[in-house]
Every structure is written in C-alpha cells, then in structure tokens.
Amino acid sequence: MRALSRTRQEARAGWLMTGPALTAIGLFFVLPAFASLLLSFTDFDIYSLANLSNLRFIGLENYERLIGNPLFWQAMGNTMWFVIIGVPLLVATSLLAALLVNARTLRWRPLWRVALFAPFVTTLVATAVVWNYLLHTRYGLINYGLGKLGIGPVDWLGNPKTALPAILLFVTWKTFGYNMVIFLAALQSVPRDLEDAARVDGAGAWMRFRHVTLPAIAPTVLLVGILTVAGMFQLFAEPYVMTQGGPARSTVTVLYFMFEEGFKWWNLGSGSAVAFILFLCILAVTLVQLKVARRAGAI
C-alpha cells in the first residue's frame, strides 16, 4: 500500500511539474493547429472577418483549388529545391565549421566562435541589405571580383536561374552558426581517448572522423538534419526581403505562397490549407529521416 501511495504521489508531482508546460503547448500549439485545420475546410476570408455569418463550410474545395493551381506547384517546386540543395549544404558547412573551431591547433578559438556565430544573431534585414549590395549587378563586390577574373557581371537577383542559388547562399551564411554551435557541443563530448587510440594505430584525419567522430555525433547529425529540413520548408523572410518572390516567382516558397493567400488576398481558408499541407510535407520528410537513421544505426 505504501508503495502504491508513493507511486501516486510521484505521478501527481510529475503532473504538477509538467502541467504548466503542457498547458502552454496546448494553448499556443495544439489549439491553433486544430483551429487552422478547421479553417482549411471553410471559405474564411475578409468578409467572414467582418461578420462570421458569412463563414461557410466548403469541405475539401480549398485543397482541390490548390491542387489545380500552378502557382502553388511552382512554390512547392522552389521549396523542394531549397530543401534538396540547402539541407546538405547547410549541414555540411555547419559541421565543417564546428570541426575547424574544435581543432586543438586553432588559436583564438573563442574569437572564431563568436565571429562565425555572429551572422545568425544579426538582424535579417540589415544582412539582407548588405548582401543585396554584394550581389548588385553593377556595383556589387562579387561581380567586381568576377570581373577581375575576366567573367562578365551576373544579375544574381534579377535572373530566375541565379536568384534561388543566391538566396540559398545567403541563407547558408546567415544560419550555419546555429547548427555549428550544436555540432560543437557534440564534438566536445566525443571521448579524446578514442581519437588518441585511433591516431596511435595510424589512422589519418579522415579515418578518425569517419570511424570515431561521425558515429559518436550521429544522433546530433540527425537532429540538425531534422531542424534544417523544417527551416528550409518554412523559408519566407529571406526571399521576401531580397526578391519579393521574383523574378518570375522563381523564389516563391510554400510559406511565401501561404502569406500571399492569407494576408495579401485574404483567403484565410486557403492559406490554412497551405499550412496544413506544409505540415504534412515536413512530417513526411522527418519520418523518412528517422527511418533512414534507424537503418544506419544512428538512433
């Protein structure tokens, strides 16, 4: 009886401790997500905002309209390019930076950590203005450097073929510092004796990384991959600030399309449908990542 009473007291204490967090999650995540799902089955628009009696249940019409909308599929294609190219590029850049900063031979390591992490905490609009200048067709420093190599100027943000890679380069530079810090924490937890033993056995830098470091930080690589996938699927601010979705809508992402549907054209029901489709895409890719990680033994 005493054991049962103690178990109940521990369970009650656990619920009391987690209650505020669960309440916050329910109010600020579960409830809004459920409300958004319900709105996706309605024609909620600016007229419904004025008078809720104008709100009508329309079933799957928003989803059917999106499936038949070529602009939605263009935004989905642009987003997939960001995910397919941006995720490996960002993860690799972050891991490489963490390895360099964690190197024993590097001097002034705290200074390098601050310098590499600084872009992440810098205001997006300020950095976007700087990069717009760097990528300027006539006055940009990048085209100036290319000119010194005998290469003609490139309209980085005005050409549909180069606008997306240019934004992707900016996103990588802006956000890799956050992932670098996560990788750095994982690298510092790798046992030094394992690396020293591999070095004594004659293993080179690549072999030590492949057989000692990488298996030890595999769960962290999975975590960073999942976070980066979610971030790339939700890319909005960078194309909005730098290109406003142009040129020729070549940089419009799914989240940008959702913004236009919900807050430019006030089709809030359609915007909610886009949000739910985006959620399903992120969930599907995350489940695939988890499945691959289990097969590889990362988790």
Side-chain angles (χ1 to χ4, degrees):
M1 292 295 294
R2 292 182 179 179
L4 181 60
S5 176
R6 183 175 181 180
T7 302
R8 290 178 178 176
Q9 291 178 356
E10 291 177 349
R12 190 179 300 109
W15 281 111
L16 289 175
M17 292 293 292
T18 59
L22 293 176
T23 302
I25 292 174
L27 289 176
F28 298 107
F29 177 75
V30 177
L31 185 60
F34 183 70
S36 177
L37 177 61
L38 292 180
L39 284 179
S40 69
F41 299 116
T42 68
D43 63 346
F44 194 73
D45 54 15
I46 192 171
Y47 300 105
S48 301
L49 282 174
N51 188 351
L52 286 178
S53 63
N54 295 322
L55 183 66
R56 294 182 303 121
F57 178 81
I58 59 174
L60 298 176
E61 286 187 21
N62 285 324
Y63 295 93
E64 295 172 354
R65 195 177 300 115
L66 287 175
I67 292 175
N69 189 346
L71 298 179
F72 170 74
W73 289 110
Q74 184 180 6
M76 183 66 74
N78 295 337
T79 303
M80 292 308 299
W81 277 117
F82 277 114
V83 172
I84 294 172
I85 301 176
V87 172
L89 177 63
L90 187 52
V91 172
T93 303
S94 305
L95 181 56
L96 179 60
L99 289 170
L100 293 175
V101 172
N102 194 55
R104 297 180 182 180
T105 57
L106 183 67
R107 301 182 62 184
W108 308 102
R109 281 192 289 181
L111 179 62
W112 283 106
R113 293 173 186 175
V114 172
L116 294 176
F117 185 71
F120 178 76
V121 297
T122 306
T123 306
L124 174 64
V125 175
T127 53
V129 170
V130 173
W131 272 79
N132 275 332
Y133 174 75
L134 293 175
L135 297 169
H136 195 276
T137 306
R138 295 182 58 188
Y139 310 111
L141 294 180
I142 294 179
N143 279 327
Y144 176 78
L146 293 177
K148 292 296 183 180
L149 299 175
I151 302 175
V154 178
D155 189 5
W156 293 103
L157 299 178
N159 189 331
K161 295 182 180 180
T162 58
L164 192 147
I167 292 179
L168 188 56
L169 183 63
F170 169 69
V171 171
T172 302
W173 172 83
K174 181 74 172 65
T175 59
F176 85 95
Y178 178 77
N179 293 339
M180 180 196 71
V181 172
I182 298 176
F183 278 131
L184 187 59
L187 289 172
Q188 291 179 346
S189 66
V190 177
R192 291 289 186 182
D193 54 348
L194 294 179
E195 294 185 358
D196 294 337
R199 186 180 292 106
V200 170
D201 291 338
W206 168 249
M207 296 298 292
R208 293 197 305 272
F209 172 75
R210 180 180 178 184
H211 296 288
V212 178
T213 305
L214 192 58
I217 66 171
T220 305
V221 174
L222 174 63
L223 171 65
V224 171
I226 292 175
L227 293 176
T228 306
V229 165
M232 287 296 176
F233 266 112
Q234 299 178 74
L235 206 63
F236 166 75
E238 290 82 356
Y240 179 78
V241 173
M242 297 185 71
T243 60
Q244 291 77 50
R249 300 186 67 83
S250 60
T251 58
V252 172
T253 61
V254 174
L255 202 62
Y256 195 109
F257 181 82
M258 183 189 73
F259 167 79
E260 289 185 328
E261 285 290 303
F263 300 101
K264 183 178 180 180
W265 309 117
W266 290 102
N267 295 323
L268 298 175
S270 179
S272 299
V274 176
F276 189 68
I277 292 175
L278 181 61
F279 164 74
L280 292 179
C281 290
I282 296 175
L283 178 62
V285 175
T286 301
L287 292 177
V288 171
Q289 287 179 288
L290 292 174
K291 187 174 182 179
V292 172
R294 288 194 184 96
R295 288 187 177 181
I299 55 175

